[in-house]
Amino acid sequence: LLVIAFIPVQTVQAAGLAAAFGAIAKILSNVVLLPVLASYGSYGATIGGIPGRARQLGSGVAGVFGAFARPGPARAAVISGAALLLVAGWQAGNRHFGDEHPGAGELLPDSRYNRDANLFTGRFDLRMDLLLLIAEVPKDSCIDYEVIDYIDRLTWHMQNVPGVHSVMSPTPVARFLNAMWNEGNPRWSGIPRNRYAIMQVRSSVPAALGVFNADCTVMQVQVFTDDHRGDTINAVTAAARAFRDRNPSEKVNLRLASGGLAVQAATNEVLAGAEIPMLFWPLAAVWALALIAWRDWRAGLACLAPQLLATGLGYALMARAGIGVTTATLPMVSLAIGIGSTFSFYLWDNLRQEIAAGTGLPLAWRQALQRCGGGVICMAVALT
């Protein structure tokens, strides 16, 4: 679990450290404290009946799953697992980085926050998801036509990007106010080239809009998007970069970006780069620990294969259920590998002991299931 802390995302590192500390605490409690606590108990004759019934049930379950230690059922299980892994890999290709739904993905759709967000976006022309493009310009550029025209073209460019609902910047306001200063004539709905005409329009722009600062050295283009899905964020940021690259200016230094959507865009980029390491290192740790413990490559394969299949199926479920890859969901995949691998370790160690004692594989597998299968199932159900 500690390998998760190598990922350069602070929330993920915190999850890895917390999980590793919890594992250490579990070892101490199970190996040291549990026997001490058990020594203080008094056990009557009735307690022996429960393991007897449980053992009988375990024998039945072991009989069913014990068949997979024979060539025919084993071959069918391997083929089915490989087919499931291929289907899971195909489905996992539809995954998205970032949230998949409007509002806060951590909350239910009918939560108070999400209902308020839907009400706000339904009644106003703005949206909850905002990307701020920051234009650093020389002082008093609010009355410089070259700078204003650049911002105007950027505003129009971003307004026509799919997924963008509306754009707020100094230029739409300036166009409207210029027409108002000329008897509301729509022919005057443009950016005046005259410096003093621009000054007249600029004096009427409310400071509360926050589209420029006091000395006009910074201008903002506020891009409101329909949602904060990963595809929408990628399209909007790519469009802003494309405009900046195609329109270099000595007066305008366009920076990307600020606002909540910019934070999500940066986070998604980090997650996209960290996804493979977050999956590789836990799986590599499982393989390495199995080799160190048993000096047998088959141990590593036996403990690793179920984790590969489970991870693939988990990704497929996320894609089908519309769960995006975020800082909350991606660590859970790695944690599941770390926790789920213990089941394989329990079963393999018991199987190895039975085979070392001279027991044939089918019977050894059944006895391994009888010995620790109940604990594995109980733990898996509890964790699920």
Side-chain angles (χ1 to χ4, degrees):
L1 299 176
L2 192 60
V3 298
I4 302 174
F6 289 108
I7 306 304
V9 179
Q10 290 183 354
T11 54
V12 175
Q13 292 172 345
L17 291 173
F21 178 80
I24 294 172
K26 185 179 74 169
I27 293 172
L28 293 175
S29 63
N30 288 352
V31 177
V32 179
L33 297 179
L34 189 59
V36 173
L37 292 175
S39 68
Y40 284 95
S42 58
Y43 309 101
T46 56
I47 197 171
I50 299 176
R53 290 193 296 270
R55 192 179 301 111
Q56 185 178 3
L57 178 60
S59 298
V61 174
V64 174
F65 288 98
F68 289 102
R70 301 188 180 277
R75 192 176 297 110
V78 170
I79 294 174
S80 301
L84 280 173
L85 186 60
L86 289 175
V87 173
W90 171 60
Q91 288 289 331
N94 299 323
R95 72 191 185 285
H96 295 278
F97 289 92
D99 292 322
E100 290 289 289
H101 305 289
E106 295 80 4
L107 303 177
L108 294 173
D110 61 346
S111 66
R112 178 63 182 269
Y113 178 86
N114 285 338
R115 285 190 285 113
D116 289 349
N118 292 333
L119 180 66
F120 177 82
T121 55
R123 294 190 178 183
F124 296 90
D125 195 39
L126 304 179
R127 289 293 184 266
M128 302 293 290
D129 301 306
L130 172 64
L131 178 74
L132 293 176
L133 304 179
I134 309 297
E136 296 177 344
V137 294
K139 188 177 180 179
D140 294 329
S141 290
C142 292
I143 56 176
D144 186 334
Y145 176 78
E146 182 181 349
V147 174
I148 295 296
D149 179 65
Y150 184 97
I151 300 299
D152 189 44
R153 288 185 289 113
L154 174 61
T155 302
W156 176 253
H157 175 78
M158 297 306 299
Q159 181 66 68
N160 289 277
V161 175
V164 173
H165 180 268
S166 60
V167 180
M168 176 62 70
S169 75
T171 56
V173 182
R175 287 175 174 274
F176 174 78
L177 291 175
N178 191 46
M180 292 300 99
W181 279 106
N182 291 276
E183 300 178 349
N185 192 327
R187 294 183 178 181
W188 289 87
S189 296
I191 305 298
R193 295 176 179 267
N194 183 277
R195 183 182 185 88
Y196 297 100
I198 297 178
M199 190 181 301
Q200 182 185 43
V201 171
R202 180 244 185 268
S203 64
S204 302
V205 176
L209 288 178
V211 291
F212 51 75
N213 62 350
D215 56 357
C216 282
T217 57
V218 173
M219 296 186 187
Q220 288 187 358
V221 177
Q222 303 172 0
V223 182
F224 297 92
T225 61
D226 293 327
D227 52 55
H228 49 256
R229 297 177 69 249
D231 293 343
T232 302
I233 295 175
N234 293 337
V236 173
T237 53
R241 289 192 182 98
F243 181 89
R244 181 180 60 184
D245 296 340
R246 289 198 302 264
N247 298 273
S249 174
E250 296 181 356
K251 293 185 176 182
V252 180
N253 180 24
L254 185 61
R255 292 187 176 272
L256 278 66
S258 182
L261 216 63
V263 175
Q264 292 186 41
T267 303
N268 291 348
E269 289 180 2
V270 174
L271 288 176
E275 181 186 24
I276 299 302
M278 283 193 69
L279 297 177
F280 171 79
W281 287 114
L283 291 172
V286 171
W287 177 274
L289 290 172
L291 290 180
I292 292 171
W294 295 298
R295 307 291 198 278
D296 191 340
W297 65 269
R298 292 170 297 183
L301 180 62
C303 295
L304 191 64
Q307 306 312 311
L308 285 172
L309 179 58
T311 302
L313 292 174
Y315 265 111
L317 174 64
M318 290 171 63
R320 293 288 295 177
I323 301 173
V325 180
T326 66
T327 54
T329 58
L330 184 55
M332 292 305 299
V333 178
S334 297
L335 289 173
I337 295 173
I339 296 173
S341 62
T342 59
F343 306 153
S344 301
F345 291 160
Y346 300 151
L347 291 169
W348 177 267
D349 193 58
N350 279 273
L351 178 64
R352 182 189 62 84
Q353 293 180 34
E354 293 292 338
I355 293 176
T359 308
L361 179 60
L363 181 58
W365 177 237
R366 286 191 58 179
Q367 290 180 349
L369 287 174
Q370 272 188 278
R371 185 177 300 171
C372 67
V376 167
I377 292 174
C378 288
M379 187 184 299
V381 170
L383 287 171
T384 302

